[in-house]
Amino acid sequence: MSVLPIVSKVFERFIQVQMNSHIVHFLSPYLCGYRQGFSAQHALMTLIENWKKTLDQKGFGGAILMDLSKAFDTLNHELLLAKLNVYGYDKNSLKIIHSYLSDRYFRTKINGKFSSWGETFQGVPQGSVLGPLLFNIYLNDLFYVIDLTQVCNFADDTTFFACDKNLASLLKRLEHDSLLAIEWFHNNYMKLNQDKCHLLVAGHKHETVWAEVGEAKIWESNKEKLLGITIDRTLNFDDHVFSLCKKSSQKLSVLARISNYMSFDKKRILFKAFVESQFAYLPLIWMFHGRKANSKINHIHERALRVVYEDNCSSFEELLKKDGSFKIHQKNIQSLAIELYKIKNNQSNTIMNEIFELRNVSYNLRSQTDFDSGLARTNSFGIDSLKYMAAKVWDMVPNDIKNVDSLHIFKSKIRKWEPLNCHCKLCLNYVPELGYINVAH
C-alpha cells in the first residue's frame, strides 16, 4: 500500500474524471471492476445466468479460474503509456501520467529496521485514485483477444467461461482461450500462477474431466470460490449459504453473551452490522438455494431478533414487524426489483440489459409483463434463474412504486414493500396430501 499525501489525491481526482470521460467509450462492457454502475454481482451474473440457460437445455457450462500474482504491482509503465497513446491520449497527457508513475521509491521495515530505498519501475500506486483506472486500461485489450469464451472479470480476478451442448467441444474452447490468455499475460508482463488455476464444469456427466492450461493439467473441482461466492457444479449454492449461516451464527453467539450489558440501540446496530450483513453480499447470485438453507437463514434471523428485542414469545413474523424489516429472501426480491427498475428506465449496464430482455410488442396480450422470461424446461436451472424470476417479480411490484420518477424514490419505497404471493420454490407452502403449492395471502 502506497502512502500518498492528501493533496495529490485531489489532483488525481481531476485527472481521473478527465481520463474516464474519454476511455469509457473504449472499455469492454464486461470489465466490471472500479467502474460506476458495475459490480462483482454483475460480473458473476453473466456467468451464472449463461450457465443456467445452457444447463436448462441439457448442455454444459465450464470455467477456468485464473490466478494472477500481484497484478497491480506488475504493470509495465512503458507498455501502459503505449496503450494510452493508442487509445488517443495526447502527448501532454502522457507526460503527466509518466510523471505520476516515475520517481517513486519504496523500502521495507522488518523488526523495526528499514531497508535501503529502491525505485519503483512497474506497477501502479495501490490506494491511489488513478491506480484502478490505469489498471482497467492496461487490462482492457485482453477482452478483445479472447476468441471462443466469455470473461467474468472483477479487478484482478479473471475467469474464462463458455457454454456448449458438447462436453469435448466445451473443454477445447476453454483450453484454446486459456492459451491465448497465457500468451497475453506473458506479453503484458503479468504473472499467472498456472498451478493455482481451477476448472469448474457444470452439467450432467458420468466422468471427471480435466483441461490443459499451458503446461499444467487441471482436474475439475466440485466447487470453487469466485469473488467471495462458493460455486458448485449443481449451482444450488447451499454450501455458500451454510457457510454464511455458520459465520453469522458465531457472531450472534458473541452478541447473545454480551447483550445483557448493552442498550437496545447498540444491540440492534451490532445485529445489523455483524449478523444481517453476512447475507447482503451479492444476494442475487445465491438467492436460488434450497429450502433447508432458507430455513437455516430464517432460524438465525429469528434468534437474532429475539436477542435484540429480548422477546421469546412472539412469532418470527411478529418480530419482523416489530423490527420493521423483512426476511432475507424478501430483501433479495427487493434487490432484484431495483435492478429491474434500472433496466426499465435505461439506467443499467450492458450485462444486465443482455440478461433481462424487455418485451417489445405493439398489441395487447393477456400477460402485460414488461420482461421476457423465456422458456424454462427444468426447475433447477430454468425456473430458478433470474431471467425467469424477473417477470414474476416485476409483476408483483405495485404500479404506484413502478412508476416513480427517480431511482432514489424507488429504492426508498421498495425497501418498505413486502413481496407477497411470490411463486418461487422458497415461498411455497406445504399442504398435506398436496405437497408444496402457492397459497394466496
Side-chain angles (χ1 to χ4, degrees):
M1 186 64 67
S2 303
V3 180
L4 303 171
I6 299 298
V7 176
S8 73
K9 293 192 175 184
V10 175
F11 286 98
E12 282 186 73
R13 181 65 66 186
F14 285 114
I15 296 173
Q16 189 248 10
V17 170
Q18 295 179 43
M19 289 187 66
N20 192 63
S21 64
H22 172 75
I23 198 63
V24 68
H25 306 292
F26 299 98
L27 294 180
S28 168
Y30 303 101
L31 187 67
C32 294
Y34 312 116
R35 297 179 67 187
Q36 185 176 4
F38 292 80
S39 68
Q41 183 162 258
H42 294 137
L44 279 177
M45 282 172 68
T46 185
L47 185 152
I48 299 299
E49 288 298 302
N50 275 283
W51 274 15
K52 285 189 174 183
K53 182 178 179 180
T54 302
L55 293 174
D56 189 50
Q57 300 171 354
K58 298 183 179 180
F60 299 91
I64 291 181
L65 290 67
M66 291 195 164
D67 180 76
L68 293 174
S69 177
K70 300 180 180 179
F72 281 83
D73 297 330
T74 59
L75 270 63
N76 183 279
H77 290 173
E78 292 184 2
L79 182 56
L80 174 60
L81 292 171
K83 292 186 179 189
L84 290 171
N85 182 47
V86 171
Y87 283 124
Y89 292 100
D90 60 28
K91 290 185 178 180
N92 290 329
S93 300
L94 298 181
K95 288 180 180 179
I96 292 175
I97 299 302
H98 180 264
S99 175
Y100 171 78
L101 296 172
S102 303
D103 298 325
R104 292 187 179 273
Y105 295 84
F106 68 94
R107 63 178 178 175
T108 303
K109 180 181 180 182
I110 301 177
N111 296 328
K113 296 183 178 180
F114 291 94
S115 68
S116 58
W117 287 100
E119 187 173 357
T120 301
F121 294 103
Q122 60 185 22
V124 293
Q126 295 194 42
S128 63
V129 175
L130 272 179
L133 176 60
L134 295 176
F135 179 83
N136 276 351
I137 295 173
Y138 194 89
L139 189 69
N140 187 58
D141 55 295
L142 169 65
F143 290 81
Y144 301 104
V145 170
I146 300 308
D147 184 25
L148 303 177
T149 63
Q150 293 177 264
V151 184
C152 170
N153 169 268
F154 188 83
D156 58 343
D157 282 303
T158 303
T159 298
F160 302 93
F161 71 93
C163 303
D164 206 295
K165 288 292 186 70
N166 183 273
L167 180 58
S169 175
L170 172 73
L171 295 174
K172 286 182 179 179
R173 290 169 61 184
L174 291 172
E175 290 177 339
H176 176 271
D177 279 9
S178 294
L179 289 175
L180 294 179
I182 290 172
E183 182 180 6
W184 187 92
F185 290 138
H186 175 75
N187 292 337
N188 287 267
Y189 306 98
M190 303 187 82
K191 299 177 182 178
L192 174 68
N193 295 322
Q194 294 185 23
D195 295 335
K196 293 184 179 181
C197 293
H198 300 284
L199 171 67
L200 268 178
V201 178
H204 181 70
K205 52 187 173 48
H206 301 286
E207 72 279 1
T208 301
V209 299
W210 53 271
E212 290 185 357
V213 178
E215 299 177 354
K217 185 177 182 179
I218 303 174
W219 289 89
E220 69 167 309
S221 305
N222 290 327
K223 58 184 178 181
E224 289 293 340
K225 182 169 284 191
L226 177 61
L227 298 179
I229 302 292
T230 302
I231 303 175
D232 60 85
R233 55 189 180 187
T234 62
L235 301 184
N236 64 18
F237 297 101
D238 281 352
D239 287 335
H240 180 73
V241 174
F242 288 140
S243 175
L244 294 180
C245 290
K246 183 178 180 181
K247 293 178 183 178
S248 58
S249 182
Q250 291 171 344
K251 296 179 185 298
L252 176 56
S253 298
V254 175
L255 176 60
R257 287 198 295 268
I258 63 175
S259 62
N260 292 332
Y261 307 99
M262 304 175 66
S263 66
F264 165 77
D265 291 335
K266 290 182 179 179
K267 285 190 291 186
R268 192 169 185 274
I269 290 173
L270 290 177
F271 155 64
K272 296 289 184 181
F274 293 102
V275 179
E276 195 175 58
S277 64
Q278 295 290 327
F279 304 99
Y281 179 67
L282 312 190
L284 300 185
I285 303 300
W286 51 263
M287 69 179 292
F288 295 106
H289 48 73
R291 296 181 67 91
K292 184 177 179 180
N294 190 57
S295 297
K296 198 167 185 66
I297 292 175
N298 289 337
H299 177 66
I300 292 173
H301 197 178
E302 181 181 348
R303 279 177 52 207
L305 290 174
R306 294 196 187 283
V307 170
V308 172
Y309 287 92
E310 300 179 359
D311 184 348
N312 294 317
C313 300
S314 301
S315 66
F316 184 28
E317 286 70 21
E318 290 171 339
L319 288 169
L320 288 170
K321 288 182 179 180
K322 187 182 290 189
D323 188 57
S325 60
F326 302 98
K327 295 179 181 178
I328 300 299
H329 179 64
Q330 292 175 322
K331 291 185 176 183
N332 294 345
I333 293 176
Q334 293 171 348
S335 298
L336 177 55
I338 292 173
E339 294 292 344
L340 297 178
Y341 179 87
K342 293 178 183 178
I343 297 167
K344 189 74 173 61
N345 293 274
N346 298 318
Q347 299 178 28
S348 194
N349 56 50
T350 303
I351 292 175
M352 299 299 288
N353 291 329
E354 289 179 353
I355 294 174
F356 304 103
E357 298 178 18
L358 287 168
R359 300 182 71 183
N360 185 17
V361 291
S362 57
Y363 45 86
N364 292 328
L365 298 172
R366 289 183 181 179
S367 174
Q368 295 297 322
T369 182
D370 293 315
F371 290 90
D372 182 9
S373 60
L375 296 176
R377 295 176 173 84
T378 64
N379 289 328
S380 300
F381 307 117
I383 293 178
D384 285 352
S385 67
L386 290 172
K387 180 179 176 64
Y388 185 86
M389 187 75 169
K392 309 293 183 184
V393 168
W394 193 246
D395 286 346
M396 291 164 52
V397 178
N399 288 328
D400 62 321
I401 299 180
K402 287 182 186 178
N403 299 325
V404 297
D405 295 329
S406 71
L407 178 61
H408 176 73
I409 297 174
F410 183 85
K411 286 182 177 180
S412 64
K413 287 181 175 291
I414 207 70
R415 293 303 186 192
K416 300 175 183 177
W417 166 66
E418 182 178 8
L420 298 175
N421 299 324
C422 177
H423 294 271
C424 76
K425 66 182 180 183
L426 300 182
C427 298
L428 299 179
N429 294 277
Y430 182 77
V431 178
E433 300 181 2
L434 291 178
Y436 290 102
I437 63 172
N438 183 267
V439 179
H441 290 74

